[in-house]
Amino acid sequence: MLTLVLRTARANLTRALLSSLSVVLGVAFVSGSLMFTDGLAASLTGQAAVQYRNVDVGVSVESISSDQDPDALVRRVRAIDGVRAAEPVWSIYNIGLSSGDGSRKVRGDHRAVNTSFDPGLQSIEAVEGRMPAAAGEVVLDRRTADREGFRVGAEIRVSDFGSEARSYRLVGLTASTKGGFDTQGALIVMATPDMAAMTGYPAPSIVVSADAGVSPEELASRITAAVGAEARTHDQLVRSAMNAAVGNADEFRNALLGFGLIAVCMAAFVIANTFTIVLAQRTRETALLRLVGSTRRQVFRSVVLEAAVVGLGGSVLGLAAGVLLASGLPSMLASVGAPTGITPVISGWTVLIALAVGVGVTVVSAMLPAWRGTAVPPVAALGDAAVQVARPVGRVRTVFGVLTGVAGAGLLSVANQVALVVAGALAAVIGFLLLSPILVPAVIRLLSRPLGLLGGATVSLALANAVRNPRRIATTTNALVVGVTLIATFTLIAKSTEAPNQRQADAKMFAKFLVAASTDTTLLPDELVGALRESPAAGAVHPAYQASDFDNGREILTAGRDAPPPGSALVTADLGLAVGGSVTVEGRTFAVAGVRAGTGTVWLTAEDFTTVYEQPFLIDVQVDPAPGLPDGVAKAALEQAVSSFPSATVYDKAGYVDRLNERLAQALAVVTALLSLAVIIALVGVANTLTLSVVERTRENAMLRAIGLTRRQLRLSLSAEALVMALTGTIIGTLLSMAITRSALGSVAGEGDAMELVVPWDRLAVLLAIATVAALTASIIPARRAVRNSITGNLAAE
């Protein structure tokens, strides 16, 4: 039987390759994801180990009493027997970074760390230039330097959490990065005196290098006994950092494998449909095997074995393609934070999983078609194998499909939680899949009238062929429906989420320009307000401050639009105050001039705010241009005014909306790219179906050619058949995605953030155009095969 299987596969090599192509793509995604995330984990754990190079013990300053003098603590640690050197260390974020003249602002959530002048305590190495040897010198990660055009010897400006910027000389570049998944953020390595001056607060930890002959364990015990602080050895520090790094890599792996699961499911659709068609075409062959003595079980096992051979071949090719995919994933995923320069890691587990997925999915997908296809009586060998009677949809399947679809629609209509939306979406999609042999032909018949009028008799013939076997056309279209549904849902959610960002910008910006940091967590230095007021381009300047009143559980903000009179305040209704009453902030009393919606907030004028708080947190500044000054000229002048503030960027309203939407647009692009593999697999299914249908309809097509159908008309017929599959799948997928997205947005609105469905018709039109072009491309090879052979030869075919 094995010999028969191998000869059958060899005799039908094209068919086997078509069957395995979807397996190749699915396995490539799964194996590529595993190789990439294994490489990512190795890279992150390597970075975790490197950051403690030359460190024997780490001391947690936060673990001791806060009344101890931090500087005295460092001196006490240095005086302990066995300590060669000790250095306080900081690691801070919310950093502003720009070129020396302020012309290039580096956007991102930057990280600054300090390094000792002692090479024996430096965990970071310079790959170009050198490490800081004096105050005023810094090292930058090479990735940021290359991207921004910074060279060794250049001057750069750095500012901390709301502090004034300082100038530093760039003396070296390092291969180390800030770590984590933010490729936009820079790593800035500073000298310890500069870091201490910039932060203004004690270092949270101390790193220690041991004398020769003193073990890290012994030194950690001595430090704990001497100063009462928690001290961890080098191995403990590395292990903790590695665990965190592997956890981050696992999150990425799970997300990618989710997309891989979708691709594998699409492959299962295609494989099942392919084997259904193939076994239908081999009815006479199967009957002949039964006629010469093979049992149904033997024939079934031979088909399953054939599926295993196809799956094994596809898995091997998919594994090879996975290596290429893993090499390209870092570039694709960089916009959502994945580190670049990851070297894929091929492990034994990855190979085993790839083979198991490929062979397992192929065999499981082929089992039901195999069992049905082998139920052929021996007498069928005497019949006409070209005549295939489509099985009607079972009553149980229809009833279950209706119930599941109705349940899904019901959940989507009333869902007020994300979990209910997911459950409703799954139920709706499953209901559609069960009813697809009824619904898909119905949609095609609706399309057949306008398409038939446009294309004439040839197109009408193609549409009639498409619905001749409802199960086949439904199974072929289902994979495309699921892929389009996923892509369109993410597209609709992204576009609908942009609208609240636009409303947020409209509600926030009452002036022409907004001066803000590139990240929401970065504060601006108070000196920025004075610099803007001194600019001739600035008319009215409106700073926005923030403070927290922890004792009373309130947030104090600056009232921008509709500010109260000086000496008065606005409050939220939950504070229980009425107009005419008073509210006390930091010992000062303000008259309540109005009540707003919200919780636990008091609004003051900017002047009153700076009177109450000596050093308030500056969130942003809104600026109206001087009267008569064109917006473009005013914006350029304001950018010049804030050039010495690395964290400050001038936005008009459109630019601010783009900033709010930036990460969302990047994430959508990546998700669409990942989901596109599912659509490609679905289109492979379309090509499979057309190719196998050409084989099945060999004599039928020859008869049409004999009575006058031209080669061009036959090609048009197959192209129209592919086109209607693409149109049907895209239309149904888009309608499903609209229902799912409307429900998802409704569930968010139930939690207080109202969002309406916004349909990006231009993007959906592009999606439809891509599906159409891809389907027409998929029909080229089947059409070429259909017209290649002679009419007489095809009429004589079995």
Side-chain angles (χ1 to χ4, degrees):
M1 193 62 74
L2 177 61
T3 302
L4 175 64
V5 169
L6 295 176
R7 286 180 176 177
T8 302
R10 186 167 59 249
N12 300 279
L13 184 59
T14 301
R15 182 185 297 171
L17 290 175
L18 286 172
S19 302
S20 65
L21 184 54
S22 55
V23 182
V24 171
L25 294 175
V27 170
F29 199 101
V30 172
S31 61
S33 299
L34 292 173
M35 294 176 200
F36 167 71
T37 50
D38 284 345
L40 176 63
S43 174
L44 293 179
T45 53
Q47 291 177 18
V50 166
Q51 68 178 309
Y52 293 111
R53 186 178 64 90
N54 293 333
V55 174
D56 293 312
V57 176
V59 182
S60 172
V61 177
E62 298 171 340
S63 65
I64 62 175
S65 174
S66 59
D67 58 1
Q68 292 197 37
D69 180 8
D71 293 333
L73 178 63
V74 175
R75 291 194 296 270
R76 289 174 61 193
V77 170
R78 286 172 177 164
I80 295 173
D81 183 34
V83 172
R84 190 195 65 81
E87 191 84 3
V89 292
W90 290 260
S91 177
I92 60 174
Y93 292 84
N94 301 308
I95 300 296
L97 175 64
S98 74
S99 58
D101 59 1
S103 60
R104 291 197 305 279
K105 304 287 181 69
V106 183
R107 298 181 60 183
D109 186 11
H110 312 306
R111 177 190 179 199
V113 298
N114 66 293
T115 186
S116 172
F117 294 141
D118 180 358
L121 262 181
Q122 291 177 351
S123 58
I124 295 175
E125 293 181 312
V127 294
E128 182 179 339
R130 58 176 174 81
M131 296 299 292
E137 297 179 345
V138 297
V139 165
L140 197 62
D141 68 281
R142 171 179 276 175
R143 181 181 61 193
T144 300
D146 290 344
R147 185 180 67 235
E148 302 296 333
F150 294 153
R151 297 290 178 262
V152 172
E155 180 183 320
I156 63 173
R157 295 180 66 83
V158 180
S159 63
D160 182 24
F161 196 73
S163 70
E164 188 175 0
R166 295 176 172 87
S167 295
Y168 300 90
R169 179 68 57 189
L170 182 61
V171 297
L173 304 178
T174 177
S176 300
T177 63
K178 63 168 285 189
F181 292 92
D182 183 7
T183 58
Q184 296 298 315
L187 174 66
I188 306 163
V189 186
M190 312 177 70
T192 298
D194 289 330
M195 178 68 82
M198 186 170 71
T199 59
Y201 60 81
S205 59
I206 302 170
V207 293
V208 180
S209 172
D211 280 330
V214 180
S215 70
E217 291 76 14
E218 175 62 25
L219 186 57
S221 298
R222 293 180 188 178
I223 293 173
T224 301
V227 301
E230 178 189 2
R232 293 193 291 171
T233 66
H234 170 86
D235 291 344
Q236 291 173 327
L237 294 170
V238 170
R239 192 178 304 115
S240 176
M242 282 185 172
N243 289 339
V246 171
N248 289 336
D250 284 345
E251 291 178 7
F252 236 88
R253 175 185 289 114
N254 293 338
L256 286 177
L257 289 181
F259 291 101
L261 178 61
I262 294 170
V264 170
C265 290
M266 297 300 100
F269 273 118
V270 174
I271 293 165
N273 197 37
T274 300
F275 272 89
T276 299
I277 300 173
V278 167
L279 291 172
Q281 293 174 1
R282 281 162 41 182
T283 299
R284 178 174 291 181
E285 178 184 325
T286 303
L288 283 172
L289 289 173
R290 297 291 308 280
L291 192 64
V292 298
S294 297
T295 65
R296 180 184 181 185
R297 189 174 299 277
Q298 286 177 313
V299 177
F300 173 77
R301 284 202 300 265
S302 73
V303 175
V304 172
L305 184 58
E306 181 181 347
V309 171
V310 170
L312 181 61
S315 300
V316 173
L317 294 175
L319 197 59
V323 176
L324 300 177
L325 181 63
S327 301
L329 275 175
S331 299
M332 180 191 300
L333 299 175
S335 60
V336 290
T340 55
I342 302 299
T343 302
V345 174
I346 305 175
S347 66
W349 278 111
T350 297
V351 175
L352 291 176
I353 290 172
L355 295 177
V357 168
V359 176
V361 169
T362 307
V363 169
V364 171
S365 302
M367 288 182 73
L368 183 58
W371 187 251
R372 287 174 175 168
T374 54
V376 179
V379 72
L382 305 175
D384 189 350
V387 180
Q388 302 294 338
V389 180
R391 292 185 299 110
V393 182
R395 183 175 300 175
V396 174
R397 174 173 177 168
T398 302
V399 171
F400 189 66
V402 170
L403 294 177
T404 306
V406 170
L411 284 173
L412 291 176
S413 63
V414 301
N416 56 4
Q417 297 178 4
V418 175
L420 291 179
V421 175
V422 173
L426 288 174
V429 171
I430 291 172
F432 163 76
L433 294 178
L434 292 172
L435 295 175
S436 58
I438 299 173
L439 297 178
V440 171
V443 174
I444 292 177
R445 291 188 182 98
L446 287 176
L447 295 173
S448 62
R449 183 176 296 275
L451 291 178
L453 292 175
L454 290 173
T458 303
V459 173
S460 298
L461 176 64
L463 298 177
N465 274 334
V467 298
R468 190 166 65 180
N469 192 323
R471 286 178 177 270
R472 179 184 303 173
I473 189 69
T475 306
T476 304
T477 308
N478 285 347
L480 189 59
V481 168
V482 174
V484 170
T485 299
L486 291 168
I487 291 180
T489 298
F490 279 102
T491 302
L492 290 169
I493 289 176
K495 185 62 177 179
S496 300
T497 308
E498 290 177 2
N501 287 338
Q502 179 67 55
R503 291 197 296 269
Q504 178 183 340
D506 292 338
K508 181 180 181 67
M509 291 186 63
F510 54 88
K512 179 65 68 174
F513 301 108
L514 174 71
V515 182
S518 59
T519 62
D520 294 332
T521 56
T522 302
L523 297 179
L524 299 171
D526 194 46
E527 294 81 5
L528 176 67
V529 178
L532 288 169
R533 285 176 173 159
E534 291 175 1
S535 173
V541 177
H542 310 277
Y545 297 104
Q546 177 182 354
S548 296
D549 182 0
F550 295 107
D551 294 337
N552 297 295
R554 301 179 304 189
E555 186 177 34
I556 316 300
L557 299 175
T558 304
R561 196 194 306 262
D562 303 325
S568 58
L570 303 175
V571 299
T572 52
D574 65 305
L575 297 180
L577 301 173
V579 176
S582 62
V583 60
T584 300
V585 179
E586 296 294 319
R588 292 197 55 183
T589 301
F590 296 89
V592 176
V595 179
R596 287 180 172 181
T599 57
T601 306
V602 177
W603 290 271
L604 304 176
T605 64
E607 292 76 13
D608 288 336
F609 208 110
T610 53
T611 301
V612 173
Y613 297 97
E614 291 184 3
Q615 292 183 324
F617 290 151
L618 180 62
I619 305 302
D620 54 54
V621 184
Q622 298 202 42
V623 184
D624 277 316
L629 195 64
D631 290 348
V633 175
K635 186 171 185 290
L638 293 176
E639 288 173 342
Q640 180 61 38
V642 303
S643 62
S644 60
F645 300 91
S647 56
T649 303
V650 181
Y651 299 98
D652 55 18
K653 185 175 291 185
Y656 183 60
V657 171
D658 289 341
R659 196 204 95 174
L660 295 177
N661 290 332
E662 183 177 28
R663 275 302 178 92
L664 184 67
Q666 291 172 344
L668 175 64
V670 172
V671 168
T672 302
L674 294 174
L675 288 176
S676 63
L677 184 63
V679 177
I680 291 172
I681 293 175
L683 292 170
V684 169
V686 172
N688 265 7
T689 300
L690 289 175
T691 301
L692 296 172
S693 295
V694 165
V695 175
E696 182 182 57
R697 300 200 301 251
T698 298
R699 283 194 291 172
E700 177 184 321
N701 290 334
M703 182 65 72
L704 291 171
R705 291 285 312 284
I707 62 176
L709 193 72
T710 65
R711 292 187 176 187
R712 177 179 174 278
Q713 288 174 320
L714 183 54
R715 289 194 186 98
L716 176 62
S717 173
L718 291 170
S719 298
E721 200 169 335
L723 177 62
V724 77
M725 291 183 197
L727 289 175
T728 302
T730 305
I731 290 172
I732 295 175
T734 302
L735 293 176
L736 280 172
S737 68
M738 287 183 178
I740 294 170
T741 304
R742 184 180 293 277
S743 178
L745 297 176
S747 69
V748 174
E751 298 175 3
D753 298 323
M755 285 192 288
E756 298 178 355
L757 175 64
V758 177
V759 181
W761 296 110
D762 54 342
R763 300 181 189 177
L764 295 181
V766 170
L767 180 61
L768 179 61
I770 291 173
T772 300
V773 172
L776 292 175
T777 303
S779 70
I780 292 175
I781 294 177
R784 183 176 298 171
R785 177 170 183 170
V787 302
R788 184 176 55 191
N789 297 330
S790 66
I791 297 176
T792 54
N794 286 344
L795 285 173
E798 287 291 337

